[in-house]
Amino acid sequence: HSIAQEVVGLFCMILLTLTALVANIVVMVIILKTPLFRKFIFVCHLCVVNLLSAIFLMPLGIISSSSCFNRVIYSIAECKAVIFLNICFISASILTISIISVERYYYIVHPLRYEVKMTIRLAVAGVIFIWVKSVLITVLALVAWPHGNGATSASRCTVYWSPGAHKKVFVILFSITCFILPTIIILAVYSSIYRVARTASLQQAPVPAQAVAPRHRCDSIASQVTILTARILMLPRLIPDRLLGSNKAILTLVLIVGQFLCCWLPFFAFHLHSSVTVGTVGGGHGEMVVTWIAYSSFAINPFFYGLLNRQIREELARLRRSCLNRPLGQELCLSISEASVQENFLQFLQRATCTLETHTSCISPSPRNRLDQTTAGFPTPGQVPEESS
């Protein structure tokens, strides 16, 4: 039974590592290949961090977690290097996710301000801040380590077994700076985005001209029936689109926040508990479980922050078709209703926010709205036009 568990565990760890490698490379290639996607610079940086973790950190995690590598011995310097990579990449990944959430907040709630202030210089400064803070936090973990030529097993070369004299202080600061504060930021930002989505869904849709009863109209039965029919049929067609866009936005926000908490909450809760409680039984096995739950974030992030975006998915589909040399006639073309349903939730929120913030023509209408605007200028049969006041 233990052998079967070991094989299944090793298979899952290798599968997660390969998924992280492939998914992050694909998203990075798409972003770097398309000049219009340079606005996804922080998403690309997140993929870089995840890719480095999949190349260096996750294989080292397999060695320290699997009993197949019990005989692997690290020197003190090698063990310090392993812990350095572990803490540094984890910190960089979480800080990048926090910056992405703030960037999305400004992109959605303040789109005009975002276009002005979001420059390459600011993005580079954000990336430098992420790595400087990650390195400083990691250096704190290695303070007061023993010096010498000692050796330790690979399974004990982890944060839990760290011999640092200030381990408790480090774990508390590490949890506050890399989990508690980023979680507060993410929850606050996505709560604001949720309120914007809620406001957008409850906002009254513009009523087409033919659905509004004129002040002076013909009293014939045919005219009244035509006006009532237009009023009944046009409005319900607009409401499902708003509700569908709102539900999609809310579901996406819940998935992003839930994924972050599910991956990182067990990891930091375990280390906080183990640093406070003396003599935790079975701590090594518990650390292995929560560590790989956290490592799964490296494989999930490219899907939630990259492939969840409709523009990146469409570019991936075009890249796949070009690799397969498919003729243009076989390309997938969305109908008007499908394009409205599959609209990116960020674009949906930005359209609504532009209306609330500026009341200008910064809205990018969906194909369905273009159709409604086109037909809005035609009079309804049997209806007498309004007299200009």
Side-chain angles (χ1 to χ4, degrees), residues 2-82:
S2 60
I3 295 177
Q5 286 182 342
E6 184 68 28
V7 171
V8 172
L10 184 61
F11 173 78
C12 292
M13 290 186 287
I14 294 175
L15 182 62
L16 276 177
T17 304
L18 294 177
T19 303
L21 284 170
V22 175
N24 286 287
I25 289 176
V26 168
V27 175
M28 282 180 54
V29 168
I30 293 174
I31 295 176
L32 297 176
K33 178 179 177 294
T34 308
L36 295 178
F37 289 174
R38 290 175 182 174
K39 61 183 178 180
F40 298 109
I41 182 170
F42 288 115
V43 176
C44 185
H45 178 260
L46 179 63
C47 291
V48 171
V49 176
N50 295 334
L51 183 61
L52 291 175
S53 302
I55 294 174
F56 298 104
L57 189 58
M58 297 177 79
L60 293 174
I62 294 176
I63 293 175
S64 61
S65 302
S66 177
S67 60
C68 300
F69 304 97
N70 282 337
R71 296 183 179 180
V72 176
I73 302 297
Y74 289 147
S75 64
I76 295 296
E78 292 171 342
C79 191
K80 292 171 68 173
V82 171

Side-chain angles (χ1 to χ4, degrees), residues 260-310:
F260 177 82
L261 293 177
C262 289
C263 289
W264 295 109
L265 180 59
F267 179 83
F268 286 95
F270 171 83
H271 284 291
L272 277 175
H273 179 266
S274 62
S275 64
V276 175
T277 306
V278 180
T280 306
V281 180
H285 180 73
E287 185 185 29
M288 180 194 70
V289 174
V290 299
T291 298
W292 276 99
I293 292 176
Y295 284 176
S296 66
S297 175
F298 301 139
I300 298 174
N301 286 338
F303 294 96
F304 277 81
Y305 295 94
L307 298 178
L308 195 64
N309 187 281
R310 184 169 60 89

Side-chain angles (χ1 to χ4, degrees), residues 318 321-322 325-333:
R318 281 193 289 268
R321 287 194 297 269
S322 63
N325 294 324
R326 291 186 178 181
L328 295 178
Q330 295 182 2
E331 292 186 358
L332 179 61
C333 298

Side-chain angles (χ1 to χ4, degrees), residues 83-151:
I83 294 181
F84 180 89
L85 293 176
N86 196 351
I87 299 173
C88 186
F89 288 153
I90 288 177
S91 303
S93 178
I94 294 177
L95 294 175
T96 304
I97 291 174
S98 302
I99 291 184
I100 289 176
S101 64
V102 175
E103 181 196 25
R104 284 184 171 180
Y105 169 79
Y106 279 98
Y107 175 79
I108 294 168
V109 180
H110 305 289
L112 299 181
R113 193 180 306 173
Y114 172 86
E115 293 295 336
V116 173
K117 294 187 176 181
M118 187 58 195
T119 60
I120 297 296
R121 181 178 298 178
L122 181 61
V124 172
V127 172
I128 294 175
F129 167 78
I130 289 171
W131 285 106
V132 169
K133 187 175 181 180
S134 301
V135 171
L136 291 178
I137 293 173
T138 308
V139 170
L140 181 62
L142 302 179
V143 173
W145 262 61
H147 299 281
N149 297 323

Side-chain angles (χ1 to χ4, degrees), residues 80-249:
K80 292 171 68 173
V82 171
I83 294 181
F84 180 89
L85 293 176
N86 196 351
I87 299 173
C88 186
F89 288 153
I90 288 177
S91 303
S93 178
I94 294 177
L95 294 175
T96 304
I97 291 174
S98 302
I99 291 184
I100 289 176
S101 64
V102 175
E103 181 196 25
R104 284 184 171 180
Y105 169 79
Y106 279 98
Y107 175 79
I108 294 168
V109 180
H110 305 289
L112 299 181
R113 193 180 306 173
Y114 172 86
E115 293 295 336
V116 173
K117 294 187 176 181
M118 187 58 195
T119 60
I120 297 296
R121 181 178 298 178
L122 181 61
V124 172
V127 172
I128 294 175
F129 167 78
I130 289 171
W131 285 106
V132 169
K133 187 175 181 180
S134 301
V135 171
L136 291 178
I137 293 173
T138 308
V139 170
L140 181 62
L142 302 179
V143 173
W145 262 61
H147 299 281
N149 297 323
T152 182
S153 172
S155 61
R156 288 180 174 262
C157 192
T158 61
V159 176
Y160 177 80
W161 299 105
S162 173
H166 306 291
K167 172 185 169 183
K168 182 182 295 187
V169 177
F170 161 72
V171 171
I172 294 175
L173 292 178
F174 180 47
S175 302
I176 292 175
T177 57
C178 291
F179 179 72
I180 296 177
L181 291 180
T183 301
I184 293 174
I185 293 174
I186 291 173
L187 290 177
V189 165
Y190 282 117
S191 296
S192 300
I193 296 177
Y194 168 78
R195 286 195 295 268
V196 172
R198 186 68 177 171
T199 303
S201 64
L202 296 178
Q203 188 182 22
Q204 286 291 338
V207 180
Q210 64 267 37
V212 179
R215 288 171 294 179
H216 302 283
R217 62 180 184 273
C218 179
D219 293 331
S220 64
I221 298 178
S223 175
Q224 295 178 4
V225 171
T226 303
I227 294 172
L228 291 176
T229 303
R231 185 181 302 176
I232 293 173
L233 294 181
M234 292 300 295
L235 294 180
R237 190 177 64 179
L238 296 174
I239 294 175
D241 286 341
R242 299 205 316 273
L243 294 179
L244 181 58
S246 174
N247 292 336
K248 184 178 180 181

